[in-house]
Amino acid sequence: EFPPLTQTILIDEHNKKAILSAVVNGLSGPITVNNQEYDGVIPAMHMTDKEIALVLSYVYSVWGHPGDTVTAEEVKQVRNAK
């Protein structure tokens, strides 16, 4: 089971770098979202910076944050910070 994307503190906090890192680098181990613990693996997405930016911008707009966007440059910065 994965954490929800709707009505979630993960998105509501606008923690872009953490979200970008999870998509670019993957994520494993326990995390708490909306006071519920999840312990699984989110694999890294093997997509271009532009593709990740487009997908995450779409996620932001559909799940209650219209106008929030992610740029390919932001994705690149997270990818290069490894």
Side-chain angles (χ1 to χ4, degrees), residues 4-12 33-34 63 65:
L5 290 176
T6 58
Q7 299 174 346
T8 178
I9 250 175
L10 185 67
I11 299 289
D12 291 343
V33 177
N34 295 349
W63 279 288
H65 297 280

Side-chain angles (χ1 to χ4, degrees), residues 6-80:
T6 58
Q7 299 174 346
T8 178
I9 250 175
L10 185 67
I11 299 289
D12 291 343
E13 288 179 349
H14 296 273
N15 193 352
K16 251 188 212 184
K17 283 190 179 181
I19 293 167
L20 282 169
S21 181
V23 173
V24 171
N25 304 313
L27 181 68
S28 63
I31 62 169
T32 302
V33 177
N34 295 349
N35 296 318
Q36 183 172 348
E37 190 169 291
Y38 296 87
D39 189 6
V41 175
I42 299 172
M45 298 290 111
H46 299 286
M47 299 171 11
T48 68
D49 296 344
K50 182 177 180 179
E51 290 168 335
I52 290 173
L54 290 170
V55 168
L56 288 179
S57 293
Y58 174 78
V59 168
Y60 273 117
S61 70
V62 171
W63 279 288
H65 297 280
D68 285 353
T69 59
V70 175
T71 66
E73 183 60 33
E74 288 173 308
V75 177
K76 182 180 178 180
Q77 288 174 2
V78 169
R79 190 182 305 277
N80 291 337

